Amino acid sequence: MPVRQLPEQVINRIAAGEVVERPASVVKELVENAIDAGASRIDVFTDGGGRRRIGITDDGGGMTAADLALAVERHATSKLDDEDLLQIRTLGFRGEALPSIGSVARLSITTRHKNEPHAWALSVDGGVKSDVVPAALNRGTRVEVSDLFHATPARLKFLKTDRTEAEAIREVVRRLAMARPDIAFTLAGEERAPVTWAAALPGAPGRLTRLGDILGADFRSHAIEVRSERDGVVVEGFAAAPALTRANALGQYLFVNGRPVRDKLILGAVRAAYADYLPRDRHPVVALFVTLDSREVDANVHPAKTEVRFRNAGLVRALIVHALKEGLAREGRRTAANDGGATITAFRPAVVPPAPRPSNWDWRNSPSFPVGPMAALAGAAANAFAEAGQAAFDVGAPTADARLHEQPAPSDLLDRPLGAARTQIHDTYVVAQTRDGLVIVDQHAAHERIVYERLKASLAEHGVQRQILLIPDIVELDEATVEQLLSRAEELASFGLAIESFGPGAVAVRETPSLLGKIDAAALLRDLAEHMEEWGEALPLERRLMHVAATMACHGSVRAGRRLKPEEMNALLREMEDTPNSGQCNHGRPTYVELKLSDIEKLFGRR
């Protein structure tokens, strides 16, 4: 078959397959165009999950008649400076969205530039463009897309239900609204009630307001502000405390220069920063914004523009990890699930229905019916009652779970964050009194975090102790994997793993971290290579060391069931106050729960 040039309509439909995957892709491209046009308000309307109709209206700068005629041509754009792909300061720049949409749907554009006496309109149906004609519009641009994929019916078979497609559109608009809190968004359609996000004030407070409106009040109450900056790269945003987690990573929203992205590097950095705070099957909720020079990041990786490549990926990852860890450490005690809300709910007395009464029941035979004057307790009976009652509160009494210590705490301890220890119950929990409430501490979990932080500090100060192998382990791998491992040999050495080349397809392991004990060097190197290939980092080795440290901390901590003296309990509380991240143990469980006096009064109806 001879080589021939494809018709323009076929070329546009092939290109549309990369840009327009589903209705949500259309909404993303059109809303990004509206943002680039300087809009302060964007309205989105959909019908039939976007396949029947999509309408985007904005109050941006609009286009002239000449620009409108050229805008629907392939690779026509106004967003590149001197054709320099390294200077991309806008969300769109490829010039593919409008012609791609017009080749697979019915596209109508009405726009008015501030220098034009009236608006102009143009339509594209299956790739066939109409003339530019006068129209009526006050300002900005209105784009309507109907009968999506009518020109490529096979694509309709791959669309999901209207509700599913509408939810995908909602997620796209949510992400763009998070990126630009200064713009007001309205999302409406037959599948949902209208949702409006008003424009917020600039700065961190306005950003948190927008994030709270989208992610909910729980995120707003648990949000911790994070920020880190170095060499022109700024990482800022909000991270939820470990008390708020998800079962998957869909609650992690990442933005680079205002562009919503899904980047493995950033996701891996978030996972590393939260490694000491969450159980393995839980994921954090974060909204991070990375800002850097446009020449240091490549957004032209895929037509969908959801992937980026960093020139200095290591710096970006380090800043993200530092920002998150610094924020979590700064709010260490607040990161625990210690607000007492669930505890208050658990404490509320349940309504127990009365036991059924027999049919021959006589109220006069009830034990509570006074048949005569009550006899006063006196003599031996009174003494026996008093002794039995007192025995329930004596230290070491077999009938008592709580041992009260009669040493009143100094008043200054009541002003400390965790207060003064009052008692220990069930040989596991320390109860402390604060000035405005009480604190219940899990002694094992709290001491586990303290020991773990000491071990981490020792590793950071003195480094990882190594053990030299008498006979080096020779691990055979493919040449690409060997080259990848050797390129990170210096970083691996900082964690106590010394490797060197042993021919074209092998690595010699000469030293291993002593914390890990006897290990399978071949399995460790293969795991490291696989993880580097996926995430571009040597995190598994660090995680293994931290896992060993966590295990040592668990076995070296005060165990549940051990009786503590009053001075030991107070010492534990003071250590917690001086230890970062003491709000939860290294397994992600809370170390204490705080109950305010006002909450306790509510339980007893005093408020």
Side-chain angles (χ1 to χ4, degrees), residues 282-426:
R282 303 300 296 178
H283 298 267
V285 182
V286 300
L288 296 179
F289 302 82
V290 180
T291 306
L292 71 169
D293 189 278
S294 59
R295 291 183 175 273
E296 299 298 318
V297 60
D298 182 10
N300 191 30
V301 178
H302 188 273
K305 303 185 293 294
T306 58
E307 301 178 19
V308 293
R309 296 289 183 271
F310 297 101
R311 185 185 298 272
N312 190 348
L315 174 61
V316 175
R317 180 188 182 276
L319 287 176
I320 292 173
V321 174
H322 176 267
L324 290 174
K325 285 192 172 183
E326 190 276 332
L328 292 172
R330 184 181 68 249
E331 303 288 342
R333 283 187 294 274
R334 190 164 71 90
T335 60
N338 56 17
D339 57 3
T343 308
I344 292 296
T345 303
F347 265 124
R348 295 193 186 281
V351 178
V352 181
R357 295 169 176 170
S359 57
N360 59 349
W361 180 79
D362 186 354
W363 62 273
R364 288 170 296 184
N365 296 328
S366 171
S368 60
F369 178 68
V371 294
M374 292 291 291
L377 290 175
N383 293 334
F385 181 85
E387 291 174 0
Q390 181 63 35
F393 297 96
D394 285 342
V395 175
T399 58
D401 286 321
R403 302 185 310 284
L404 300 181
H405 304 284
E406 296 300 331
Q407 300 179 4
S411 59
D412 58 338
L413 290 183
L414 298 179
D415 296 321
R416 299 295 294 267
L418 297 181
R422 290 302 194 186
T423 187
Q424 181 189 28
I425 58 176
H426 294 291

Side-chain angles (χ1 to χ4, degrees), residues 12 16 19-20 25-26 29-31 33-34 56 63 67-77 79 94-111 122-129 141-145 305:
N12 287 338
V19 179
V20 184
S25 305
V26 176
E29 297 292 343
L30 296 181
V31 173
N33 283 345
I56 311 291
M63 292 180 285
D67 287 342
L68 176 59
L70 193 58
V72 293
E73 299 292 340
R74 293 194 67 223
H75 304 304
T77 181
K79 303 173 184 178
R94 299 174 63 100
E96 293 181 318
L98 292 179
S100 296
I101 295 170
S103 66
V104 296
R106 294 184 174 90
L107 173 66
S108 173
I109 305 175
T110 305
T111 181
L122 176 147
S123 62
V124 183
D125 187 352
V128 180
K129 182 177 68 172
T141 303
R142 180 175 67 243
V143 182
E144 293 192 3
V145 179
K305 303 185 293 294

Side-chain angles (χ1 to χ4, degrees), residues 115-135:
N115 296 329
E116 294 283 343
H118 55 75
W120 298 94
L122 176 147
S123 62
V124 183
D125 187 352
V128 180
K129 182 177 68 172
S130 72
D131 295 331
V132 178
V133 297

